[in-house]
Amino acid sequence: MRTEYPKTVAIETTNRCNASCSFCPNSTLSRDRLTMEEGLFRKIIDDCMEFKPQFIEPFLNGEPLMDVHIFDRIEYIRTKLPDTKIKLYTNANLLTPEKTERLSGAGVSELFISLNTINELKYKKIMGLDLENTMINLNYLLESHKNRKIADRIVFRMTRTEDTTLFEQDKFIKYCKEKNVEHYIVGLFNYKGNIHSPLPVPNYPCEHIERIDILANGKVALCCMDQEGEYSLGDVTADSALEVFNGLPASYYRAMHRTGNRKKIAPCSNCNLFWPTLNNLRILQKTKVSFEILNYFLNNRPFGRKAPEKFTI
């Protein structure tokens, strides 16, 4: 069997979260709330030195700033894997000026802020957080970024729910442009059918077959949509990250996706994660799959500005 290497390694340093987003299943997790043990985290990063992934995301199901060791962990990644890009995702409600100062010079390549709306009432409703506090943090972040680069790239992200109006999307876009920050609007993922989303399940290969997602206890989830680890591919407390990625379960899922059988395997048959991959496909397959991807994106517009499918009152 040919050895493959994960493009991205996502590490759930904690599954605790200060938000209760309506479109995220974190608030209903049945597994224990944990912060990953330092020895396990370092073991995973040391495993990664064998294959040097393109990206490491110290984030999975939780808010990374709930992890009091997050900046020390980022420093360890940077020390051991200087050429690997670090992506950090946060809702920024805990990104105080002191934490922004710690981010400065930490070597984060991409910082994604899950803002989702700039309507105060809607923000409270969908995230359970105080928008004013988040905005204070974001203002400090952007002002600091002008003087010294906090990250190579900063993106403000909106998850487009079924009742996110065009007015609300335009207001978000206008705010980002005024702040001179990159913005991004993405459709709703259904987490294997656990979250209702109008976007259909694609048949083309999912890009997440090229990554490894490690939960706080060391269990390797199928992907970020497998929030409970029900479809575990292995355990990095027993094997290396590369051994798990090339084990039979992970290899089987990759093969099924690449042969057009995504809808024949659970839970992928119910999952609408729409980001595609064309890697490791033959030329004729790539052509066929490229048309499938184009057709899906044209018909469903899974990202960008889009009128809501329905309104809720």
Side-chain angles (χ1 to χ4, degrees), residues 33-264:
R33 299 288 173 170
L34 298 173
T35 295
M36 181 177 282
E37 294 179 359
E38 184 63 17
L40 176 57
F41 176 81
R42 293 193 172 212
K43 187 260 184 195
I44 294 167
I45 300 304
D46 293 348
D47 284 352
C48 291
M49 293 173 67
E50 182 181 357
F51 57 94
K52 298 179 177 59
Q54 185 176 350
F55 302 103
I56 285 185
E57 300 174 0
F59 158 85
L60 194 53
N61 297 285
E63 166 53 53
L65 296 181
M66 294 283 285
D67 176 6
V68 296
H69 305 294
I70 189 62
F71 296 108
D72 295 329
R73 298 190 201 256
I74 290 172
E75 182 179 353
Y76 190 78
I77 298 169
R78 182 54 56 234
T79 299
K80 293 289 185 174
L81 297 162
D83 297 324
T84 293
K85 294 180 179 179
I86 300 172
K87 292 183 179 181
L88 187 65
Y89 296 76
T90 175
N91 59 46
N93 191 257
L94 298 175
L95 188 60
T96 60
E98 292 78 17
K99 289 176 181 174
T100 291
E101 292 300 320
R102 289 211 65 182
L103 261 184
S104 178
V108 171
S109 300
E110 299 180 55
L111 176 62
F112 291 88
I113 308 293
S114 295
L115 184 55
N116 298 311
T117 181
I118 58 168
N119 178 292
E120 188 172 3
L121 293 177
K122 183 75 175 290
Y123 187 83
K124 184 72 174 178
K125 177 183 175 183
I126 66 173
M127 298 185 70
L129 298 174
D130 178 50
L131 180 61
E132 183 180 2
N133 183 64
T134 300
M135 287 300 193
I136 290 170
N137 292 340
L138 294 181
N139 287 337
Y140 188 88
L141 170 70
L142 295 177
E143 284 301 314
S144 300
H145 188 63
K146 289 179 184 177
N147 302 319
R148 60 195 187 285
K149 191 165 62 174
I150 303 299
D152 295 336
R153 181 185 180 211
I154 297 177
V155 182
F156 285 10
R157 190 173 185 265
M158 167 185 268
T159 294
R160 192 185 65 214
T161 63
E162 291 179 276
D163 62 346
T164 304
T165 65
L166 285 177
F167 174 78
E168 192 177 351
Q169 293 173 59
D170 289 340
K171 196 173 178 182
F172 171 78
I173 293 169
K174 182 173 182 287
Y175 166 78
C176 292
K177 287 182 176 179
E178 287 173 350
K179 293 293 184 180
N180 195 31
V181 66
E182 188 176 346
H183 65 272
Y184 185 66
I185 300 175
V186 66
L188 198 61
F189 297 123
N190 72 357
Y191 284 87
K192 314 182 306 301
N194 292 334
I195 301 292
H196 183 262
S197 168
L199 294 170
V201 176
N203 195 47
Y204 52 75
C206 172
E207 73 161 5
H208 282 236
I209 62 173
E210 299 177 343
R211 52 183 281 150
I212 183 169
D213 295 271
I214 305 170
L215 304 182
N217 62 359
K219 182 185 283 189
V220 177
L222 174 60
C223 70
C224 62
M225 298 290 112
D226 182 24
Q227 70 274 13
E228 299 285 2
E230 296 174 85
Y231 299 87
S232 177
L233 303 178
D235 194 323
V236 294
T237 63
D239 300 300
S240 73
L242 192 58
E243 286 171 336
V244 173
F245 188 73
N246 284 283
L248 287 176
S251 299
Y252 171 75
Y253 274 96
R254 288 198 295 275
M256 291 296 281
H257 274 247
R258 289 167 180 167
T259 53
N261 291 302
R262 170 176 176 166
K263 290 187 176 179
K264 294 181 180 180

Side-chain angles (χ1 to χ4, degrees), residues 204-210 258 275-281 289 293:
Y204 52 75
C206 172
E207 73 161 5
H208 282 236
I209 62 173
E210 299 177 343
R258 289 167 180 167
W275 300 124
T277 179
L278 293 171
N279 292 336
N280 292 292
L281 299 181
V289 171
I293 295 167

